[in-house]
Amino acid sequence: MAMPEDDIFTPHATRSRPPFGGAQARGKVIDQDGREVPDGSLHPQFQGFQDGFSFDVRNSSANPFGNLTREERLARLEMIAKLLDVAFVVPGTNVRYGIDGLIGLIPVVGDLITTAISLWLVREARLLGAPWHITARMLANVAVDGVVGMVPVAGDAFDVMFRANIRNVRMLRRWLDRQPRL
């Protein structure tokens, strides 16, 4: 039995109302065993759930990207750069490559994905306070890596040898080492 098109495109009164008639739940908090939880025993992070859903993701321990120190952010950037550029070794040689070279084997889409990740590294550098001349050089490295990497076979070899992400993180590290500690 098919629905008439009017039912699909025209909202009914029941569909246009907010859930539960727009009322806020104000009842007791019950745990998984069916026992009532007293108001004061909830963890402070979940206190807001009684009045409506609210969760502070930025200050939560569940957020892997929040509240990192400058050194922790830089260590994360270095780890991602190594994963992208030098994580693996060609057996029997000293040639190192990363997932940038592997994902880059997928025509066009692979290079777009790795360029997007590289741009995220530049964004993180900017959030760490890198000045415009450092981020401009980093963007130039990403652009060269992305554009030349799109060439079918030679671009993949270039991706393995150029290592734009390692260059960018080294440049950021050198700049950060010259800055006074706060």
Side-chain angles (χ1 to χ4, degrees), residues 1-178:
M1 176 179 195
M3 285 179 86
E5 286 188 25
D6 293 340
D7 287 346
I8 294 172
F9 297 115
T10 308
H12 291 303
T14 57
R15 289 188 196 157
S16 61
R17 285 189 317 195
F20 309 112
Q24 293 280 333
R26 302 257 186 242
K28 302 174 186 175
V29 177
I30 306 294
D31 68 2
Q32 64 188 15
D33 297 324
R35 294 185 298 257
E36 182 179 340
V37 178
D39 289 340
S41 68
L42 286 177
H43 190 275
Q45 195 171 13
F46 299 106
Q47 286 291 337
F49 284 140
Q50 290 177 337
D51 300 328
F53 288 102
S54 65
F55 189 73
D56 187 11
V57 178
R58 290 188 185 266
N59 297 320
S60 170
S61 61
N63 183 4
F65 299 112
N67 297 335
L68 294 178
T69 65
R70 182 170 143 172
E71 288 301 317
E72 290 171 336
R73 280 182 171 216
L74 192 57
R76 180 180 63 187
L77 293 179
E78 287 174 341
M79 179 205 54
I80 292 171
K82 286 178 183 176
L83 179 66
L84 284 170
D85 291 340
V86 293
F88 312 107
V89 178
V90 176
T93 67
N94 286 334
V95 177
R96 299 187 70 83
Y97 65 97
I99 61 172
D100 186 1
L102 294 175
I103 295 174
L105 292 173
I106 303 168
V108 181
V109 175
D111 292 307
L112 290 176
I113 291 170
T114 56
T115 301
I117 296 170
S118 297
L119 288 172
W120 178 79
L121 291 174
V122 175
R123 177 188 170 270
E124 285 291 310
R126 189 69 185 149
L127 291 176
L128 282 170
W132 68 271
H133 62 89
I134 297 292
T135 53
R137 288 177 55 197
M138 292 173 79
L139 286 171
N141 285 338
V142 171
V144 167
D145 188 39
V147 171
V148 176
M150 289 201 186
V151 176
V153 175
D156 297 322
F158 181 79
D159 272 343
V160 170
M161 297 303 179
F162 186 60
R163 300 177 181 162
N165 300 302
I166 294 289
R167 289 173 186 247
N168 287 343
V169 171
R170 279 189 192 146
M171 192 178 343
L172 177 66
R173 170 67 86 172
R174 280 192 301 258
W175 179 80
L176 285 172
D177 287 344
R178 289 186 298 221

